[in-house]
Amino acid sequence: YSIMPSVFSDGKGNGNPGFVHTFSRIAPTYEEKYGTKLSQAHDECLRMLSRWMCTSSPERVLDIGCGTGALIERMFAKWPDSRFEGVDPAQGMVDEGAKRRPFASFVNGVAEALPFPSQSMDLVVCSMSFGHWADKPAGLNEVRRVLKPQGLFCLVENQPAGWGLTSLINWLLGSLADYRSEHEVIQLTLTAGLQSMETRVTDQRVIVATFRPCCGEVGDHGV
């Protein structure tokens, strides 16, 4: 999967918010340009979900870093009676998603401050946006907060790339995403109160993982 510009910021200048404006501008042609790469990641996400949610349909689903809602559309085809929410920091993506997928709700926001009530989501997905979160621990704490006690979190993201030419160019341009290893992802989620259920790495060096809230008092993890 190609490295795309870093678009996630905490709104205080961290994470290069200029790329948020870039994504807002290219939103109308985003799917046409990156559709193949997006579909590959979405395929992995849906394959994982088909194993972990084969007997029930989620009532409410959240896609963090939803872009124009392509993954939401595919989940809607699977669960037409579910309620779908998408959050993205780029207003252009939110506007385009609302236009293309009127069956879902889209809102401007960041992973570190999700605009949803605690314990409101049965399923949270994050496909190829985790590497752009400005504060991963804070974002994962938010995932834990909005998940219902028996909810599921599905994460799809690139492994860290070696320092080849592409990585060097991206770093010089200030757009290299902060990818984490499989081990680091599991440790970060566990610290946030999310237990690893299944994790695998594809031949394309993409991490595909599912997590559930750990047992214990809800308040233990800031919910």
Side-chain angles (χ1 to χ4, degrees), residues 1-6 23 26 30-41 127-129 131-132 156-161 166-167 170 175-179 204-206:
Y1 300 105
S2 60
I3 297 175
M4 288 183 276
S6 177
F23 265 90
I26 69 172
Y30 178 69
E31 283 186 49
E32 287 69 31
K33 188 172 183 179
Y34 294 109
T36 300
K37 303 294 184 184
L38 291 170
S39 292
Q40 291 172 346
S127 178
M128 310 307 278
S129 73
H132 303 296
V156 181
E157 186 54 276
N158 289 309
Q159 278 192 321
T166 301
S167 296
N170 277 281
S175 61
L176 183 62
D178 177 24
Y179 298 128
Q204 290 76 35
R205 293 175 54 84
V206 172

Side-chain angles (χ1 to χ4, degrees), residues 4-9 23 30 38 41-42 62-67 71 87-89 109-112 114 124-136 139 143 153-158 177-180 206-207:
M4 288 183 276
S6 177
V7 300
F8 281 70
S9 168
F23 265 90
Y30 178 69
L38 291 170
H42 297 167
L62 170 63
D63 184 353
I64 302 176
C66 62
L71 177 55
V87 62
D88 198 282
V110 293
E112 296 86 354
L114 295 174
V124 175
V125 298
C126 176
S127 178
M128 310 307 278
S129 73
F130 183 68
H132 303 296
W133 292 10
D135 186 336
K136 289 176 174 54
V143 170
F153 173 44
C154 184
L155 175 67
V156 181
E157 186 54 276
N158 289 309
D178 177 24
Y179 298 128
R180 300 300 180 93
V206 172
I207 298 169

Side-chain angles (χ1 to χ4, degrees), residues 179-194:
Y179 298 128
R180 300 300 180 93
S181 69
E182 176 187 359
H183 174 73
E184 287 177 298
V185 168
I186 291 174
Q187 288 302 309
L188 282 168
T189 51
L190 185 60
T191 300
L194 294 162

Side-chain angles (χ1 to χ4, degrees), residues 5-22 132 134 173-176:
S6 177
V7 300
F8 281 70
S9 168
D10 62 0
K12 301 176 182 177
N14 299 322
N16 201 339
F19 284 106
V20 174
H21 301 302
T22 298
H132 303 296
L173 293 174
S175 61
L176 183 62

Side-chain angles (χ1 to χ4, degrees), residues 42-55:
H42 297 167
D43 287 345
E44 297 293 349
C45 182
L46 292 167
R47 270 195 287 269
M48 183 68 87
L49 292 179
S50 69
R51 290 202 294 278
W52 284 94
M53 305 198 73
C54 58
T55 60

Side-chain angles (χ1 to χ4, degrees), residues 53-75:
M53 305 198 73
C54 58
T55 60
S56 62
S57 299
E59 290 182 16
R60 195 173 180 187
V61 181
L62 170 63
D63 184 353
I64 302 176
C66 62
T68 55
L71 177 55
I72 287 178
E73 181 169 323
R74 294 184 64 177
M75 292 190 293

